[in-house]
Amino acid sequence: MDTDTVAPSPTAQPLHFHRTAQPAASQAQPRWRVQAVADLLDLPFTELMFQAQTVHRQHFDPTEVELATLLSIKTGGCPEDCGYCPQSAHHPTGVAATKMMTPEAVREAVLGAKAAGATRFCMGAAWRAPKDRDVEAVAELVRTIKAEGLEACATLGMLEQRHADALRDAGLDYYNHNLDSAPDFYGDIITTRDYQDRLDTLARVRSAGVKVCSGGIVGMGESRLQRAGLIAELANLSPYPESVPINHLVKVAGTPLADQPDLDPLEFVRTIAVARITMPTARVRLSAGRRQMSDAVQALCFAAGANSIFYGDKLLVTGNPDVAADQALLARLGMTARGVAAA
Ligand code: SAM
Ligand code: DTB
Ligand code: SF4
């Protein structure tokens, strides 16, 4: 396996906004070669940040961040063997399998998230793929979220077309399904389903007319070129996802990746910057791993173009900075939350 390289390549040149991608005549958006993305990752840090900030300002207010609250509506006992995941039944992590939460309990969480200032509510379930009755139950929860004026997002595993259509009909705004890694690293992390399964689900979500939320995890032992491979896969989806979560691996005891060596935090910031440059209008989400990150690194992520965070003291099963800590951080940075939800 390649090791991380954090020194800028001596041959990398400042790009000054010339596209490094090879536009294909038949496509509305440029296709990104993996090497072109790797060239961005290799840029001197200051140059990379300048490019990312310039792109960010063309499409967003760089002082504004989206607050999304995450809720695990069905936890643990998952049949998949994703090497990073505390909810896989294959790994002895001590996470107990639960039944799906009741609609009342979910509604309470939605009201709490709205009162705390979140505008987006994301529900996660530890399923390989939901059954028809699971989708019916989640559709009801989507209606609850929409009735409170929040955007609704769900991540339930692989979807059939009828499931994506039913979630759309209920008003789902985004479906999250991550590519997670470059295609050539995926098999090192997950063996129970393949990359094409992931792409197929994303295609069904797109075809249902639900916005796509798809990203990956950084810090699993991938090389810089493989980080470029992940970003190129995402950026070459046509169209690219509206929402791109970049997770830092949360090392959980009992998972195969528990003892993964630490990643240079600047490498994570670089990945955010390259996601911003290659997917200019996407919401780039500084996702898992913030509790293990310093405020300074988070600030660099915002400066690199991240404009969404998970907000609330828990992710799915692991911790997240608490609301007071996040409000203090945003105040220190002079950043504001994206418009509060309507009635
Ligand atoms: N079971 C569904 C699936 O895999 O699509 C939805 C839930 S799954 C937990 C959602 C995403 O959480 C994964 O694709 C992965 O990117 C992220 N994730 C899970 N465990 C993580 C960890 N330890 N560190 C960082 N991200 C993690
Ligand atoms: C995403 O990309 N990250 C979130 C959300 N989508 C569902 C999940 C992060 C999970 C982190 C580990 C845990 O708490 O289970
Ligand atoms: Fe299951 Fe999703 Fe965790 Fe994989 S990431 S083990 S599919 S809950």
Side-chain angles (χ1 to χ4, degrees):
M1 184 184 304
D2 293 339
T3 51
D4 287 318
T5 51
V6 292
S9 148
T11 56
Q13 296 296 317
L15 296 169
H16 299 301
F17 320 116
H18 295 305
R19 279 252 181 243
T20 54
Q22 300 258 298
S26 60
Q27 290 194 315
Q29 69 185 49
R31 284 193 68 77
W32 288 90
R33 286 177 293 112
V34 174
Q35 190 53 53
V37 179
D39 288 346
L40 287 175
L41 281 173
D42 285 347
L43 281 174
F45 189 78
T46 45
E47 178 61 35
L48 175 59
M49 293 293 277
F50 179 62
Q51 292 202 25
Q53 291 180 346
T54 303
V55 171
H56 192 192
R57 274 148 210 270
Q58 284 164 359
H59 301 282
F60 292 100
D61 172 354
T63 68
E64 182 226 57
V65 64
E66 173 191 71
L67 305 181
T69 292
L70 189 53
L71 179 70
S72 181
I73 58 168
K74 194 273 165 225
T75 305
C78 184
E80 302 291 297
D81 69 352
C82 311
Y84 47 76
C85 187
Q87 302 196 70
S88 166
H90 296 257
H91 316 320
T93 59
V95 172
T98 67
K99 290 194 171 145
M100 192 167 161
M101 283 174 72
T102 64
E104 295 72 30
V106 173
R107 182 159 187 277
E108 210 170 295
V110 172
L111 294 177
K114 183 178 173 182
T119 54
R120 178 165 169 183
F121 194 85
C122 310
M123 299 180 287
W127 290 316
R128 169 180 165 79
K131 300 183 175 63
D132 289 355
R133 66 169 182 276
D134 298 325
V135 172
E136 280 166 33
V138 173
E140 203 45 52
L141 300 176
V142 169
R143 290 188 193 98
T144 301
I145 297 168
K146 297 300 290 179
E148 294 303 327
L150 275 74
E151 287 185 310
C153 177
T155 180
L156 316 171
M158 296 185 284
L159 290 189
E160 298 296 340
Q161 191 62 54
R162 68 181 181 284
H163 295 151
D165 293 347
L167 292 168
R168 174 207 57 216
D169 291 345
L172 189 75
D173 293 289
Y174 295 88
Y175 192 78
N176 168 240
H177 198 61
N178 292 335
L179 292 182
D180 274 338
S181 76
D184 63 347
F185 190 61
Y186 190 83
D188 289 15
I189 303 296
I190 302 163
T191 68
T192 50
R193 70 184 160 200
D194 60 31
Y195 214 73
Q196 190 57 47
D197 292 328
R198 301 231 128 203
L199 293 168
D200 290 348
T201 288
L202 293 180
R204 290 175 192 132
V205 171
R206 182 60 80 199
S207 132
V210 173
K211 284 182 267 196
V212 169
C213 176
S214 188
I217 308 180
V218 179
M220 297 193 291
E222 73 284 350
S223 65
R224 183 179 270 185
L225 192 60
Q226 287 168 327
R227 281 190 278 285
L230 165 66
I231 298 295
E233 280 289 330
L234 293 165
N236 288 334
L237 293 172
S238 190
Y240 58 74
E242 286 82 0
S243 169
V244 180
I246 304 293
N247 295 277
H248 192 299
L249 175 70
V250 179
K251 295 182 230 176
V252 181
T255 62
L257 296 182
D259 299 319
Q260 191 58 42
D262 284 341
L263 181 78
D264 178 340
L266 295 184
E267 196 62 22
F268 185 78
V269 178
R270 283 178 182 274
T271 310
I272 296 258
V274 170
R276 168 54 64 219
I277 293 167
T278 56
M279 293 171 274
T281 62
R283 221 162 247 285
V284 175
R285 312 180 77 192
L286 166 54
S287 299
R290 287 197 304 117
R291 211 165 71 166
Q292 292 73 26
M293 237 173 251
S294 68
D295 284 357
V297 169
Q298 292 187 61
L300 281 172
C301 290
F302 295 131
N307 59 358
S308 176
I309 56 172
F310 286 120
Y311 180 64
D313 59 6
K314 212 169 163 195
L315 291 166
L316 292 172
V317 300
T318 67
N320 195 44
D322 63 32
V323 162
D326 276 341
Q327 285 178 347
L329 176 62
L330 296 183
R332 273 171 78 204
L333 298 176
M335 294 183 73
T336 52
R338 182 172 171 234
V340 175

